[in-house]
Structure formats: structure tokens, C-alpha cells
Amino acid sequence: MYKCSLERMSDKIKTMSKYGDAGHGGITRYSLSKEANMARAEFQKRMEAIGAVVECDDVACMYATLPGSDPNAKRIVMASHCDSVKNGGNYDGILGVMTGMEVLETVAAEKIPHKHPLTAMIWTNEEGSLYPPAMMVSGIICHDYLPKELQVNFEYDNMMKSKPMDESPYANFGEALAASPYKGAKENRISPENSCAMFEAHLEQGPILEDAGNEIGAVQLVMGMFNYSITFRGFSAHAGTFPMAKRHDALHAAAAFLVELHDRYDAYNAEVVAEGMPEFVYTTGEINVHPCIHTVIPDEAVVSLDVRHPEPKVREKCMEILKELAAKDWKQCSCEIKEQWVRDTVYFDKQLVGFVEESMEEMGAKWQKILSGAGHDAQFCAYMIPTTMLFARTKDGLSHCEPEHVSDEDCTAVATATLNAVLKADAAL
């Protein structure tokens, strides 16, 4: 049983938090930005200092590799991203990068024998905060292995045309990539030909570990989900002169719909939990109203619906409820639903999950099996090579915001679990 260094990990956390410091305890570090390049330069400097060879691929992913004793063995990769959302935290993504760095630093410092090359990797543009969509580059690299319904969302040429959502010196992602000092060769991409396993460490982004009093989690899967837009259409009229009974108020229709949807979903969730399954989660995070003028009755309201659960039968029932409600009349307005995004549950490699669980147990850590509701590069990589994830306890469950926090001790614990799981994989694969 090997242990990673709390002192080294604390130093990496402190250093990386400077790159994109937003001045309120968090960071804004868009992919391919100067701030992201500063984090990448730090990664390269530290990895080359321990003798790792650093390479880049054609979509600016970075790979720092310590060679193994078997020149024919494939790489074991530890990967995550260094980009953030706007005014995000100091741990989302970069924790997995720092974990890979710490594993390599420990292997080098303690001269731990290993036959496989060990690689710390940075995925490009996981968040999609500046250039959408999220998980863009893992979608590009894993494209040919993805289900066909996902492939269409990550066509290379379309991704290169992605326009910035915030200020940028470049017209699209392709221009930003062409200007990046970290653009390399396509043959350097992670692939089944050069890599046999991928581990991704991440903060949990929720309160389950903390509520259970556990430090780290062995992630079993990424939940399946569906995302729909729901459009209500009525007609506009003057807010001060048109009688209430004659109105076809699209926003009122949307509000009434959401209240009933919540009631129906909450009742069904009680049944799901009673059957011994985890609850499903559902969210309306986006609302657009037209014409959005305070003196005009809205003629259109569009809301989003995001539903997530690992079991297909649960998602199917949620879809049945949605369709049933959409067929009703809502405050004299029409209702139309449209699919935006659907994904199946992605199960992580059982052997790798087993190595993670054995490592956590041998550490004497407080740990548990856990599911991921959020998307990660690992879920796409899992279609291509054996992959798994580890979660670190998140303070108050907060993420994608500046108060996001993982203690230095928990960061080190997830790195130690990763190190020992990787060494188990190195011996077995």
C-alpha cells in the first residue's frame, strides 16, 4: 500500500487556483484560454521535472507519461480537464489532473516498479463553457465508438465551427485550437491501440458522501438521462386592457404545467424509492419567454426538462408522464415537446471498479459505492477503453460555483486510492 503526499497535493491545489483566479475564491478558466494555458504550462513543468515525456494531440489534449518496464505494454491513463465554468471552483476537473500528477510524482519519488507506461492526461474543453457542447473533445476522440445517436452531436467539422458564448479573440473553436501552443499530432490521441485503461478522479459535486460521513466513492456508473424542451404557445395582447378570461398566457400555462409535473414526478419518485431504487432527479433550469415585455401578455414560453436515473424503466415512465401532460390543454395554450439530448446509462468496467474498491478498503478509508448524475469525459471514454471513476467528498455538495471545496486531505485520499488501483491494474492487465 503506497500513500500520496499531502504536502505535494496541497501545493498543487494552491498553485493551480492562481490560474484564472476570479477574485472571489474561485476561477474562470475557459478551455484554450491564456488562463488554461498557464495551468497546462504548470502541468508540463512539473511532469517534465520527474522525467515524464509530455505530448499533445491534434485537439490539444496533453499526455505526460512515465515509461514502464514492458516496452510493448499499453498506457494506463489518469485523466480529467483543467477548464472551468465561469466563476467556477478550484476542484472541478483540475482535481483529476492533479491526481494524475500526484500519482506520477509518487511513482517517481518512491521508484515504484510498474510494467505499463503510466500517463497523466488533460482532456480539452470538457465544460464547453466558452465553446459548446460540454465534453466536446472526448466526444471527438471517442466519436467512432459512441452510440450513433451521440455521434451526430460530435462531428469534427461541426465542433470546429462552435462559436464562443462569451468574449473571445477567436471566431470559433477551430480558430482557437489552431492558435493553441498545445495542438499536436492526431496519432497521439488516447485510443485502444495505445491505452488499456482510464481512471478519472473527480469531486462528487453532490452531498451524498458528506451526508454519509464518507471520504471517497467508487463510481459504478453515469446515469442515463433525457433532456426535452417544452413549448407553450398562446397569443400576445396588452397587459392592461385584455380581459383575464380571454387570455392565452403562455407563461401561465408553463407555470401550471410545471406544478403538475412536479406533483406527478414526486409521487412516482416515492414509488421508485419504495422499490429499493435510488430516486430520479429532474430539473427545469432554463425558461425563455416571448416577447418578455412587462406590458405584454407572453405568447410563447419555452422551458427545459432534464431527467436522470440509471434504470431505463424509470426514465420510460417519466417520459410517459411527460407525454401525458403535454397532451392536455394548458390555460388555453398549445403544448409541444421536443427531444434535445438523450443518453443511456454508462456502466464502468467491473474489473477497474473492483481495483478501486479494493484500494479504498486496504487504505482503511471511509468509502462507498456511488453513482454519477453528472456527465464526464470518462463516460465517453468508457465506450472506447475500460474506464472508471473515483469521487472525492464535496463540502456541502456545492460545485460549479466559487464556494466549491474539497479538503486537501480528501484530495490526497482520492489520489492514494487512484495510485493503488492503477498499480493493481498494472499487475493484472
Side-chain angles (χ1 to χ4, degrees), residues 227-228 258 262 265 281-286 304-308:
N227 190 295
Y228 269 65
L258 289 174
H262 275 244
Y265 273 5
V281 293
Y282 63 98
T283 305
T284 292
E286 186 177 13
S304 65
L305 176 65
D306 180 303
V307 176
R308 306 186 188 210

Side-chain angles (χ1 to χ4, degrees), residues 67-94:
S69 60
D70 182 352
N72 297 315
K74 296 181 180 181
R75 301 184 299 197
I76 297 175
V77 182
M78 296 149 284
S80 196
H81 59 98
C82 71
D83 58 309
S84 81
V85 297
K86 188 172 185 177
N87 296 117
N90 292 313
Y91 300 88
D92 188 347
I94 196 67

Side-chain angles (χ1 to χ4, degrees), residues 385-420:
I385 62 174
T387 298
T388 195
M389 293 190 73
L390 305 86
F391 277 170
R393 175 170 49 190
T394 304
K395 181 74 170 69
D396 298 326
L398 297 176
S399 183
H400 277 201
C401 58
E402 294 188 327
E404 173 186 281
H405 183 72
V406 181
S407 72
D408 291 12
E409 290 77 11
D410 286 355
C411 289
T412 307
V414 82
T416 294
T418 302
L419 167 62
N420 288 283

Side-chain angles (χ1 to χ4, degrees), residues 128-132 163-167:
S129 298
L130 184 58
Y131 302 104
K163 296 185 183 302
M165 303 291 287
D166 202 343
E167 292 184 16

Side-chain angles (χ1 to χ4, degrees), residues 268 275 277 311-318:
Y268 177 50
E275 292 180 21
M277 292 184 287
E311 290 295 330
K313 67 177 183 179
V314 173
R315 300 195 304 274
E316 289 167 6
K317 179 61 177 178
C318 289

Side-chain angles (χ1 to χ4, degrees), residues 178-198:
S180 172
Y182 297 101
K183 183 178 181 182
K186 187 174 182 178
E187 56 264 29
N188 291 335
R189 288 184 183 184
I190 184 174
S191 72
E193 287 69 43
N194 61 31
S195 303
C196 63
M198 201 280 271

Side-chain angles (χ1 to χ4, degrees), residues 133 139 142-155 158-159 224-228 312 315 339-346 379-380 383:
C142 303
H143 175 274
D144 293 349
Y145 301 88
L146 299 177
K148 291 192 181 301
E149 62 269 21
L150 292 180
Q151 288 182 1
V152 297
N153 298 312
F154 296 98
E155 300 295 344
N158 291 339
M159 297 300 94
M225 63 166 286
F226 64 78
N227 190 295
Y228 269 65
R315 300 195 304 274
E339 179 184 305
Q340 301 296 316
W341 180 269
V342 175
R343 73 173 186 228
D344 290 330
T345 296
V346 175
Q379 79 185 60
F380 286 167
Y383 287 107

